[in-house]
């Protein structure tokens, strides 16, 4: 069986075969530059435990490098290299000026106390710092599976303590709580990006028809795997704002099913309280959750982890559109099988890029030391008000209170973030569609890699090699 990294390389090689690259450049761009494997000692209740911890820095064609930190019992070097590689091409695809990186600690966060997690996070940060592997201009981590705003706040605080003279310490990590230098909309950003990307996909009827669907998102039956940060937000927005029917939710310990639709919010609350999907009323429990991946639906949205759609189940997938909210949920072989069967894939490289996009906004905000909209919102609001009053005077008509409340508003931070994210997702898909048509490739994954590789190639050629 091929590894996650082999699969990413295979997808990369496929895209490169459409491009005439100078000798040696393809290998250089594909290969991960730095792989750090540390054994980090952490004092836990009087004892000292050693944890395997990694940081992979894939490409320095742009600096800083950037990528999440995963806390999971199954973290391996192979996995962080695969994820760092995807990050390089994801950033290039959505025009976020970073190289790719990824980190991980082999730890099961659900089995550890908050105190242990804090000690591990802070020690990991210190170990990265001692090796010059963290900093606003060097390497900027973010959340991934098993980590969130809490861990990012610990990282920022540890880095700031180790760098008392630095005026930009908050820019050393993104995904922080808003009260600790984070940005509004970052926590939901990956799910929000999935929603914007899907909306954009459905704006081109030929693409929708091409995979055997029709119409818009309204009423589409969706199965979501993994109700964590990404899956929860994507499912919630699609259900509440686009009229999708979430018929299946797959978690580690089983799946919930209801043909009439599940309440994402009610299930999320149940999981938060009980730490399991079991015991939720109003849905059928399926003991072997993974079986639900092949249940009938229009859209399958894997948002858990890699290697979920393989050659073992790709032939049985009934969805017409697979939306890779997770990284690497489909193996390279399974991806080919789905494409052969006319099932469209919105690839991870594109569809889950909302997280790093808003991380870029957060990093920029931290370096500017000011929230977006702070200097423009009030003047924006005044000018819009003047314009609306002038229209009322000229037409002798009156805007409704609702129109005043929406149209006259100046743009605050969350408006800037959503606008920037929406624009990013739309522009990137336009580039991907253009590459698909120009190079006549059958799938959006290869087209996404082509767009991204071309940008990394240009950057490498312009910079040359020194010393
Ligand atoms: P998370 O830890 O918040 O949530 C993961 C969820 O998946 C959890 O509810 C977990 O119980 C569930 N899960 C794990 N393994 C499962 C399995 N085998 N079957 C069913 N459910 C399973 O993690 P997250 O941040 O939401 O990340 C999920 C995926 O999205 C990962 O692949 C990650 O790399 C990717 N991603 C995350 C971000 C981000 O901003 N957090 C950005 C881009 C991509």
């Amino acid at each position: 069986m091929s590894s996650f990294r082999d699969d990413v390389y295979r997808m990369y090689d496929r895209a490169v075969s459409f491009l005439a690259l100078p000798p040696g450049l393809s290998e250089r761009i594909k290969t991960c530059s730095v792989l750090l494997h540390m054994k980090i000692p952490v004092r836990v209740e009087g004892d000292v435990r050693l944890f395997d911890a990694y940081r992979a820095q894939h490409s320095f064609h742009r600096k800083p490098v950037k990528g999440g930190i995963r806390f999971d019992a199954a973290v391996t070097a192979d996995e962080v290299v695969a994820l760092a590689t995807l990050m390089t091409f994801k950033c290039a695809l959505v025009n976020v000026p970073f190289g790719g990186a990824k980190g991980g600690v082999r730890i099961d966060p659900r089995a550890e106390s908050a105190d242990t997690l804090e000690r591990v996070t802070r020690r990991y940060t210190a170990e990265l710092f001692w090796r010059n592997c963290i900093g606003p201009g060097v390497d900027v981590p973010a959340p991934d599976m098993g980590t969130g705003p809490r861990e990012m706040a610990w990282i920022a605080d540890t880095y700031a303590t180790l760098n008392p003279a630095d005026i930009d310490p908050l820019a050393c990590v993104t995904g922080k709580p808003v009260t600790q230098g984070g940005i509004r909309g970052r926590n939901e950003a990956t799910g929000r990006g999935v929603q914007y990307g899907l909306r954009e996909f459905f704006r081109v009827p030929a693409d929708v028809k091409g995979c055997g669907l029709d119409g818009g998102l309204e009423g589409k039956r969706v199965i979501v795997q993994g109700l964590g940060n990404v899956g929860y937000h994507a499912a919630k927005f699609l259900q509440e704002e686009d009229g999708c029917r979430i018929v299946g939710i797959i978690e580690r310990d089983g799946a919930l099913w209801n043909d009439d639709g599940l309440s994402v919010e009610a299930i999320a609350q149940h999981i938060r309280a009980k730490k399991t999907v079991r015991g939720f009323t109003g849905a059928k429990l399926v003991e072997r959750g993974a079986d639900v991946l092949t249940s009938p639906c229009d859209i399958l949205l894997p948002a858990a982890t890699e290697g979920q759609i393989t050659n073992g189940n790709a032939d049985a997938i009934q969805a017409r559109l697979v939306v890779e909210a997770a990284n690497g949920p489909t193996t390279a072989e399974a991806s080919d099988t789905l494409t052969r069967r006319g099932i469209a894939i919105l690839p991870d490289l594109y569809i889950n890029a909302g997280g790093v996009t808003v991380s870029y906004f957060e990093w920029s905000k931290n370096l500017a030391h000011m929230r977006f909209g702070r200097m423009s919102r009030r003047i924006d609001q005044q000018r819009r008000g003047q314009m609306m009053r002038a229209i009322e005077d000229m037409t002798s008509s009156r805007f409704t209170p609702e129109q005043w409340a929406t149209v006259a508003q100046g743009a605050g931070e969350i408006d800037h973030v959503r606008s920037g994210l929406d624009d990013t997702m739309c522009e990137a898909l336009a580039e991907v569609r253009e590459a698909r048509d120009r190079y006549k490739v059958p799938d959006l994954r290869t087209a996404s890699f082509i767009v991204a590789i071309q940008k990394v190639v240009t950057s490498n050629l312009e910079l040359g090699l020194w010393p």
Side-chain angles (χ1 to χ4, degrees):
M1 211 178 76
S2 63
S3 73
F4 183 14
R5 186 181 50 174
D6 294 340
D7 273 353
V8 172
Y9 285 173
R10 215 174 114 178
M11 293 164 181
Y12 171 92
D13 289 339
R14 160 94 44 95
V16 163
S17 70
F18 288 87
L19 305 169
L21 299 189
L25 189 58
S26 166
E27 206 55 29
R28 178 176 154 207
I29 289 174
K30 178 165 84 171
T31 306
C32 184
S33 296
V34 175
L35 173 61
L36 196 61
H37 178 188
M38 305 172 288
K39 294 271 186 188
I40 61 171
V42 179
R43 202 179 298 283
V44 180
E45 289 164 13
D47 207 359
V48 174
R49 286 168 59 187
L50 281 180
F51 292 89
D52 284 282
Y54 304 88
R55 188 71 182 167
Q57 298 172 325
H58 177 262
S59 171
F60 292 89
H61 73 287
R62 291 261 190 278
K63 280 191 279 256
V65 293
K66 185 140 191 35
I69 294 174
R70 179 172 286 196
F71 280 6
D72 191 85
V75 162
T76 61
D78 183 277
E79 182 183 55
V80 289
V81 168
L83 290 164
T85 310
L86 283 176
M87 279 304 291
T88 290
F89 299 108
K90 188 179 301 181
C91 290
L93 179 61
V94 294
N95 295 319
V96 163
F98 299 134
K102 205 78 181 192
V105 180
R106 198 175 301 155
I107 183 173
D108 179 359
R110 290 162 305 150
E112 304 289 350
S113 67
D115 182 61
T116 302
L117 293 172
E118 179 174 354
R119 285 165 188 270
V120 169
T121 307
R122 288 185 183 274
R123 179 73 194 200
Y124 177 67
T125 309
E127 298 267 357
L128 291 178
F129 171 71
W130 293 326
R131 292 168 180 82
N132 195 27
C133 284
I134 184 168
V138 182
D139 186 342
V140 182
D144 192 74
M145 255 175 77
T147 61
R150 179 183 68 171
E151 286 74 17
M152 302 308 115
W154 289 333
I155 291 173
D157 184 58
T158 308
Y159 181 85
T161 309
L162 293 168
N163 293 274
D166 189 340
I167 64 160
D168 295 320
L170 287 176
C172 80
V173 65
T174 58
K176 302 178 291 291
V178 174
T179 45
Q180 295 293 332
I183 195 167
R184 284 163 187 79
R186 171 59 185 93
N187 198 35
E188 66 184 51
T190 310
R192 187 62 83 187
V194 168
Q195 176 195 34
Y196 290 162
L198 251 175
R199 284 181 179 174
E200 186 60 12
F201 177 82
F202 274 86
R203 285 191 186 111
V204 175
D207 284 0
V208 178
K209 201 157 167 261
C211 68
L213 293 172
D214 55 24
L217 278 166
E218 178 82 36
K220 292 285 179 291
R221 295 164 306 152
V222 181
I223 295 174
V224 179
Q225 185 192 36
L227 210 63
N229 178 301
V230 178
Y232 163 71
H233 286 109
K236 182 179 163 70
F237 299 147
L238 290 171
Q239 175 169 72
E240 294 177 1
E241 297 171 15
D242 297 283
C244 288
R245 187 148 46 103
I246 313 293
V247 288
I249 289 179
I250 308 168
E251 257 295 332
R252 291 178 198 262
D253 57 346
L256 297 171
W257 184 270
N258 190 334
D259 277 324
D260 296 329
L262 300 159
S263 163
V264 173
E265 194 50 55
I267 294 173
Q269 279 180 21
H270 177 89
I271 294 175
R272 244 173 260 140
K274 314 269 187 214
K275 311 274 175 247
T276 171
V277 289
R278 287 163 190 263
F280 182 79
T281 49
K284 189 178 101 187
L285 176 74
V286 180
E287 290 286 340
R288 281 165 41 100
D291 289 351
V292 171
L293 289 168
T294 55
S295 296
C297 67
D298 301 305
I299 299 171
L300 177 61
L301 201 147
T305 188
E306 59 264 20
Q308 298 303 299
I309 304 174
T310 64
N311 254 8
N313 60 4
D315 272 318
I317 297 288
Q318 297 192 54
R320 300 309 308 164
L321 175 61
V322 173
V323 179
E324 295 186 332
N327 282 309
T330 316
T331 64
E333 273 192 321
S335 195
D336 289 345
T337 304
L338 297 182
T339 303
R340 220 174 16 250
R341 293 184 53 217
I343 297 168
I345 302 172
L346 278 170
D348 46 10
L349 210 58
Y350 165 68
I351 201 67
N352 71 34
V356 74
T357 301
V358 178
S359 274
Y360 168 43
F361 302 158
E362 180 177 333
W363 178 79
S364 309
K365 170 191 179 176
N366 292 150
L367 294 177
H369 296 262
M370 199 191 292
R371 107 179 103 78
F372 293 105
R374 178 159 180 182
M375 290 176 73
S376 58
R377 191 166 74 94
R378 188 55 58 119
I379 184 77
D380 214 21
Q381 199 164 316
Q382 283 167 356
R383 295 265 156 86
R384 284 158 174 265
Q386 285 162 356
M387 181 83 78
M388 290 174 80
R389 270 188 294 277
I391 293 171
E392 284 185 338
D393 289 348
M394 284 188 288
T395 60
S396 304
S397 306
R398 292 281 167 264
F399 286 106
T400 63
E402 292 75 34
Q403 285 167 329
W404 272 103
T406 51
V407 185
Q409 283 296 322
E413 183 171 80
I414 189 68
D415 305 300
H416 283 278
V417 166
R418 289 193 184 145
S419 159
L421 176 58
D422 201 358
D423 191 52
T424 301
M425 297 306 291
C426 292
E427 275 211 342
L429 190 52
E431 285 185 56
V432 171
R433 282 174 161 141
E434 208 256 324
R436 175 197 58 192
D437 298 343
R438 169 133 47 108
Y439 291 92
K440 301 194 180 2
V441 293
D443 61 315
L444 295 172
R445 188 191 312 284
T446 307
S448 299
F449 267 106
I450 286 176
V451 173
I453 291 168
Q454 282 174 322
K455 293 180 189 176
V456 181
V457 164
T458 303
S459 187
N460 272 275
L461 291 177
E462 285 171 352
L463 291 173
L465 190 57
W466 182 89

